[in-house]
Amino acid sequence: MEDARDDRTFKGFVDKLTLGITRVLESLPGVLDVRFAEKAPAEKRYLLSWEQKNNCALPEDLKDFYLTTDGCTLNWSSKMENEVVSVGCMMVNSVAQLRPLLQSNVYSLPNAPTLADLDFDNNEDESDGPEKPHFDFHSRIFELDSCNGNGKVCLAYKNCTQGVMAQQCEMWFLDRSLFWHYLTSSFTAYYRLMITYLGLPEWQYNFTPYGPSPQAKQWAALYQPLTFHTDRHPDASCDSVLNKLDPTKAFRGKPKPPTPKKKQPAQVSASKGQAVSGRHSVNIKR
């Protein structure tokens, strides 16, 4: 009885923490194995220690999140015929894993280049949008999500001064080409954005000029995010914009065409008789 009560309590906690996205995923066709990794809340002394060590003040909304759960991981899969494929992942690193972006040498050789050496200022070509972070000492960057190797979502403090605690931060996406792309101005906005995109593969690339890969676009078309781009003024006669595609039917094998039925002998003789009578009638008319 207590186990059932604890299970209901945990489901209610997950439902509130994920803004009900677990129930949305479980209701989608073909989605299964929605798993949320439970983590204990972080202690305040760990947050204070992190701020003193990195000389950066954590935003209040991120502090509240860590005091609720020390990071989170939500994974879900999809069934394609008889195969289960891992699709979505929503992740926020724990306090211990909120590490600075690596500033060490790319190769363990003397005079090897660093990220700061690869940094360049392209704000002159792209004047629109906020100022981008840099890999040098002017910015302090921390990895919030590794994006399964497709890039990094980072907590970026810009225009930092040595010896002074940084206060303001933003959420940025660093793609695999080491280009920066602005996401949101706060952790709360980013968290909602991650949930509305269902943690689909490469969803962060929707905020880049080139977009996700073709395979990621297919997943997005199958499981449309809650922010899927549609007409803002749809026709009243149009169907709902929700995706009604059932993957269990869409990826089913192609049915074999039905074999044509052979005519019965009686039908063949009858057709021949009709043909002969037709000829006689033509001869009579002549």
Side-chain angles (χ1 to χ4, degrees), residues 64-98:
D64 294 339
F65 177 81
Y66 280 135
L67 291 175
T68 304
T69 175
D70 191 7
C72 71
T73 303
L74 191 151
N75 297 288
W76 58 275
S77 305
S78 178
K79 187 175 182 180
M80 301 298 174
E81 290 189 347
N82 297 324
E83 183 180 2
V84 177
V85 182
S86 179
V87 181
C89 179
M90 308 178 202
M91 176 181 290
V92 177
N93 283 340
S94 63
V95 177
Q97 294 175 332
L98 191 63

Side-chain angles (χ1 to χ4, degrees), residues 48-69:
L48 294 174
S49 176
W50 186 94
E51 291 180 331
Q52 294 175 357
K53 177 182 178 181
N54 297 286
N55 205 16
C56 294
L58 288 171
E60 291 299 326
D61 54 356
L62 185 55
K63 280 184 181 180
D64 294 339
F65 177 81
Y66 280 135
L67 291 175
T68 304
T69 175

Side-chain angles (χ1 to χ4, degrees), residues 155-205:
L155 193 70
Y157 296 81
K158 301 180 298 183
N159 301 322
C160 299
T161 304
Q162 291 183 345
V164 179
M165 178 170 285
Q167 300 291 334
Q168 300 295 328
C169 64
E170 297 171 336
M171 304 300 303
W172 286 78
F173 174 62
L174 180 66
D175 65 16
R176 298 184 65 179
S177 301
L178 300 181
F179 281 94
W180 288 106
H181 308 279
Y182 177 77
L183 292 177
T184 61
S185 60
S186 66
F187 170 76
T188 301
Y190 165 76
Y191 187 75
R192 291 179 179 272
L193 197 64
M194 175 181 66
I195 289 178
T196 53
Y197 274 97
L198 308 179
L200 286 165
E202 303 179 18
W203 70 264
Q204 297 88 352
Y205 280 87

Side-chain angles (χ1 to χ4, degrees), residues 90-126:
M90 308 178 202
M91 176 181 290
V92 177
N93 283 340
S94 63
V95 177
Q97 294 175 332
L98 191 63
R99 305 187 184 99
L101 204 63
L102 294 178
Q103 301 290 330
S104 61
N105 289 345
V106 180
Y107 305 103
S108 58
L109 297 173
N111 300 324
T114 64
L115 288 176
D117 298 325
L118 301 177
D119 195 12
F120 59 93
D121 189 1
N122 58 352
N123 290 330
E124 296 180 358
D125 299 334
E126 300 178 4

